[in-house]
Amino acid sequence: MTTTARAKELRRVAENMITHAKKGGLHHRRLAGAVVRERAALVKLFEILGPRYEHRPGGYTRVMKLQLPRRGDSSDMAFIEFVDREGELRKARPVAPKKEENLLEELD
């Protein structure tokens, strides 16, 4: 649980790291390694998270705002989580088919 502003900023970084992991290769591993400093986290990124989201075109994380603000400074709070994993708070929407595929189906 974190503030909504931090969760939204973290989402940008996490989405970029998953994209690097999906592409694989030494160049993308080094780009991700510049941000992710721990070796174990980098291995998990490229061996578990990258293959998990291989067929997903984007939207790997979800930011869910909490109803009540934080006591003390009344800051908006949120959860951030990866989609399509065990134990997630809410199930992800199915991946929509590409627009090109829809056009081809209409022409047939």
Side-chain angles (χ1 to χ4, degrees), residues 16-52:
N16 283 337
M17 294 303 106
I18 296 292
T19 303
H20 287 311
K22 280 175 51 175
K23 292 179 180 178
L26 181 60
H27 177 66
H28 291 284
R29 186 174 292 267
R30 287 183 176 166
L31 287 174
V35 176
V36 179
R37 296 294 185 170
E38 293 184 20
R39 177 116 174 109
L42 196 62
V43 168
K44 180 177 181 177
L45 180 67
F46 278 85
E47 292 183 4
I48 297 173
L49 297 176
R52 179 189 299 170

Side-chain angles (χ1 to χ4, degrees), residues 12 53 79 83 98 101:
R12 289 181 51 218
Y53 298 112
F79 281 109
V83 298
K98 293 183 180 179
E101 294 174 358

Side-chain angles (χ1 to χ4, degrees), residues 2 26-27 34 47 49 55 65 67 73 82 101 103 105:
T2 184
L26 181 60
H27 177 66
E47 292 183 4
L49 297 176
H55 300 292
K65 295 181 183 178
Q67 185 177 3
D73 64 354
F82 285 111
E101 294 174 358
L103 293 175
E105 290 174 4

Side-chain angles (χ1 to χ4, degrees), residues 52-65:
R52 179 189 299 170
Y53 298 112
E54 184 175 1
H55 300 292
R56 189 172 185 90
Y60 316 113
T61 58
R62 173 188 305 123
V63 175
M64 294 187 304
K65 295 181 183 178

Side-chain angles (χ1 to χ4, degrees), residues 6-17 61 80:
R6 284 183 181 180
K8 287 181 178 181
E9 187 64 29
L10 178 60
R11 177 175 52 189
R12 289 181 51 218
V13 174
E15 301 260 341
N16 283 337
M17 294 303 106
T61 58
I80 183 166

